[in-house]
Amino acid sequence: MKKALIAVAVAAVTALALTACGSGGSDTKTTTGASGGPLNIGNFADVTSWDPSLADIGFDGPYLSAVYDPLVSVDGDGKPTPALATSWKVSDDFLKVTMTLRTGVKFSDGEAFDAAAAVKSLDYLKKGARSGEAYENVSKFVAVDDKTLEIDLTKRDDTLLYFMGIGRSWMMAPKAIAAGTLAKTPEGSGPYTLESSSVAGSEYHFKKVANHWDAKQFPFDPLAIYPIQDATARDNAMASGQINVNYADDTALKQAKENNWNVAAKVSGWVGLQFTDRAGEKFKPLGNEKVRQALNYAFDGASILKSVGSGAGAVSNQVFPDGTPGNVKSLNSKYTFSIDKAKSLLADAGYANGFELHMPMSQVFQVWQPVVDQTFGQLGIKVTWDDMQYMDYQKNAPTYPMFVSFLAMDSNPVATVQRMINLPQWFNPTPQVDKFPDVQAQVAKVLSADPSDQTAQIEKLNTLVTGKAWFDVWYQANNSYVSTSNIQITPVTGMMFPTLRQIAVKG
């Protein structure tokens, strides 16, 4: 999925903004009252598409959640919660999910929402270029009756409800799906409708739907979303009162302190080196576990987090998000910084004088390039940087044995297992799990474990791959959000920008 790439872009925007001067100013003019008041969101990117099959989980959440309702939502911990599906039951063999659907809901074009409409949306999402990832293990969707939906699976899938909840179960009007008009004119059953006064790429205005079934969840009126890519411009918009919710860089966090605004933060992605050839099939040194371990010891994650990440994150050597199931706290000190230990391991592996390699580089990663140059220089590793445009990075970076990465993480630990370890992704096209029988066996235990034992099995897998230096994680970086005093945001690891369901009036 592209959300991992988006994490890279956002990290770059944040990092580049660290040198911006803080600006003062009073609390924004568009504050909320007890009943809600205006909500003006400053997003860091324009909507990818109003068509949920083409939209991105990363930053499209605020846009799509305004006009569409999901079958399933998530809470702040990424756990699935009811929405248009009021409840569900998973069969004993894990191959069938039966959902009870909400009744009395209508789409903005007047069509009724029922199980048949849900099937049309889900079939459409399954075929989607981006949304299809959530439904790879689904064989069919069945409308049992008007308010009962059945999802049949080809094999157990513990990530299905999670993916549906973070942005892959938006329900669309059947006629709009058939007409192919969703990308231009969204038709959902959401709490708002897109107004004609909106200016694509600049500002989007929404009208509140009267008598929406979940109106209490969406108290704000009116609603506007402003895509402002430049962080300084976004911070200025917050200071002037144009927006009252902002994706925060260092300047925004300083503004919040000066103005007594609310700050919400949660780890979003890990920063470090992504290895693509752990078996050493194309680049022999990485096939040696001691070399990978040496690289883990060589980078001072705490210092990098402080100097480059402004301390906004958690020092960690693992890819399971801090504070979530599967994360093993003791692993955060697995590779305590030691150049001497790194040199000793390289010598034991037969690379006392280091080695040579090429690595990709793009402007968005240059903030970390000096750290790599300095560290590799101490180890005798000679790196040649192949410069390329940012948009070429996703295509080219995985062809190198390792590359500097900022990869988005997931709240759901099984999703982490699948995306970071087991299944091909753009950043890990050949996982090579089959080259490590102990890892392969433990992955199988995770995917077949009884729910009561699954977290323990995931922790064992995490301990195993971290010990094998499957990655070189320096730290886990936060996503941070600033809001005016009466607005509270609940960040979700797995979403670069929260949906409207995670934005509430602060009591």
Side-chain angles (χ1 to χ4, degrees):
M1 294 179 65
K2 293 294 182 67
K3 103 180 160 69
L5 180 60
I6 291 160
V8 171
V10 175
V13 171
T14 302
L16 292 173
L18 293 181
T19 58
C21 295
S23 57
S26 60
D27 203 353
T28 65
K29 301 171 185 177
T30 52
T31 56
T32 62
S35 61
L39 177 61
N40 298 313
I41 298 173
N43 204 340
F44 51 75
D46 195 7
V47 62
T48 306
S49 176
W50 291 105
D51 183 336
S53 73
L54 302 174
D56 192 282
I57 288 175
F59 49 74
D60 285 342
Y63 300 103
L64 297 195
S65 62
V67 295
Y68 298 105
D69 285 322
L71 275 180
V72 180
S73 185
V74 292
D75 64 13
D77 295 322
K79 295 179 180 178
T81 59
L84 286 180
T86 59
S87 63
W88 51 82
K89 180 179 180 181
V90 180
S91 63
D92 291 342
D93 62 3
F94 301 100
L95 297 179
K96 184 178 297 185
V97 181
T98 303
M99 292 184 162
T100 300
L101 305 183
R102 195 172 300 277
T103 59
V105 176
K106 288 189 176 182
F107 294 103
S108 54
D109 66 356
E111 293 182 84
F113 169 76
D114 56 17
V119 167
K120 283 184 169 54
S121 284
L122 291 170
D123 281 336
Y124 185 69
L125 291 170
K126 180 173 170 56
K127 296 174 184 176
R130 291 188 173 181
S131 58
E133 180 193 26
Y135 303 104
E136 288 181 354
N137 296 319
V138 173
S139 61
K140 61 181 178 179
F141 306 101
V142 180
V144 178
D145 56 40
D146 284 352
K147 63 176 184 178
T148 308
L149 170 70
E150 181 180 289
I151 303 176
D152 293 340
L153 300 170
T154 57
K155 63 179 181 180
R156 175 178 172 177
D157 188 343
D158 295 324
T159 65
L160 174 66
L161 293 172
Y162 167 73
F163 285 142
M164 292 177 74
I166 62 172
R168 291 308 183 205
S169 66
W170 303 116
M171 294 289 99
M172 301 153 275
K175 289 180 181 177
I177 294 175
T181 57
L182 288 167
K184 184 176 291 186
T185 308
E187 296 282 1
S189 63
Y192 302 87
T193 55
L194 182 65
E195 293 204 86
S196 59
S197 60
S198 299
V199 180
S202 178
E203 55 188 74
Y204 298 94
H205 298 275
F206 302 85
K207 181 180 180 181
K208 192 170 177 62
V209 172
N211 301 315
H212 183 264
W213 65 269
D214 201 15
K216 290 183 179 180
Q217 185 71 41
F218 305 97
F220 301 104
D221 186 28
L223 167 67
I225 304 177
Y226 299 89
I228 307 173
Q229 183 175 358
D230 181 78
T232 301
R234 205 169 55 248
D235 295 338
N236 290 338
M238 185 77 182
S240 68
Q242 179 187 5
I243 62 175
N244 52 16
V245 169
N246 186 16
Y247 181 88
D249 63 350
D250 193 48
T251 298
L253 295 175
K254 291 177 182 177
Q255 289 177 328
K257 187 175 181 179
E258 294 167 358
N259 293 284
N260 294 316
W261 295 338
N262 296 318
V263 176
K266 186 169 286 189
V267 292
S268 65
W270 65 268
V271 179
L273 296 178
Q274 166 68 12
F275 300 142
T276 62
D277 188 18
R278 301 174 187 90
E281 295 179 328
K282 296 180 180 179
F283 187 69
K284 186 178 178 181
L286 275 190
N288 192 309
E289 185 175 298
K290 291 183 177 180
V291 170
R292 301 194 304 271
Q293 291 172 335
L295 294 177
N296 272 263
Y297 279 112
F299 287 89
D300 187 352
S303 294
I304 301 171
L305 173 59
K306 182 178 180 179
S307 61
V308 180
S310 294
V315 177
S316 184
N317 295 135
Q318 58 189 302
V319 297
F320 288 81
D322 185 58
T324 67
N327 180 280
V328 180
K329 287 187 177 181
S330 62
L331 294 178
N332 291 330
S333 56
K334 175 71 176 178
Y335 298 104
T336 302
F337 171 61
S338 173
I339 282 291
D340 289 340
K341 181 68 173 177
K343 289 180 178 180
S344 176
L345 283 166
L346 282 179
D348 290 346
Y351 298 98
N353 297 317
F355 47 81
E356 298 182 6
L357 81 162
H358 282 247
M359 290 177 64
M361 180 48 61
S362 181
Q363 182 181 6
V364 298
F365 297 104
Q366 287 176 353
V367 67
W368 292 294
Q369 187 175 357
V371 173
V372 179
D373 282 332
Q374 179 182 4
T375 302
F376 279 7
Q378 291 177 289
L379 300 177
I381 298 174
K382 299 177 178 62
V383 59
T384 299
W385 297 103
D386 295 339
D387 293 323
M388 59 189 67
Q389 295 297 315
Y390 166 68
M391 295 309 296
D392 293 327
Y393 202 85
Q394 183 180 26
K395 178 178 67 175
N396 295 322
T399 67
Y400 291 78
M402 70 175 84
F403 59 92
V404 179
S405 62
F406 184 120
L407 297 177
M409 302 184 296
D410 284 288
S411 299
N412 181 283
V414 181
T416 300
V417 171
Q418 296 287 55
R419 283 177 161 175
M420 290 293 169
I421 301 171
N422 191 44
L423 298 180
Q425 304 289 322
W426 76 264
F427 54 87
N428 190 27
T430 53
Q432 298 179 323
V433 173
D434 59 326
K435 306 297 181 183
F436 299 82
D438 49 352
V439 175
Q440 188 174 42
Q442 189 57 35
V443 167
K445 289 181 180 179
V446 167
L447 300 181
S448 62
D450 183 87
S452 64
D453 185 48
Q454 192 171 54
T455 298
Q457 295 300 328
I458 291 171
E459 291 176 353
K460 289 180 180 179
L461 176 63
N462 186 11
T463 301
L464 179 62
V465 296
T466 303
K468 288 180 175 294
W470 206 256
F471 318 89
D472 184 1
V473 180
W474 304 338
Y475 63 91
Q476 296 180 1
N478 285 349
N479 269 346
S480 299
Y481 312 90
V482 168
S483 59
T484 49
S485 58
N486 294 330
I487 299 177
Q488 184 65 52
I489 299 174
T490 301
V492 179
T493 300
M495 295 179 179
M496 291 303 295
F497 209 112
T499 73
L500 297 184
R501 287 181 173 275
Q502 282 81 43
I503 303 176
V505 174
K506 185 174 182 180

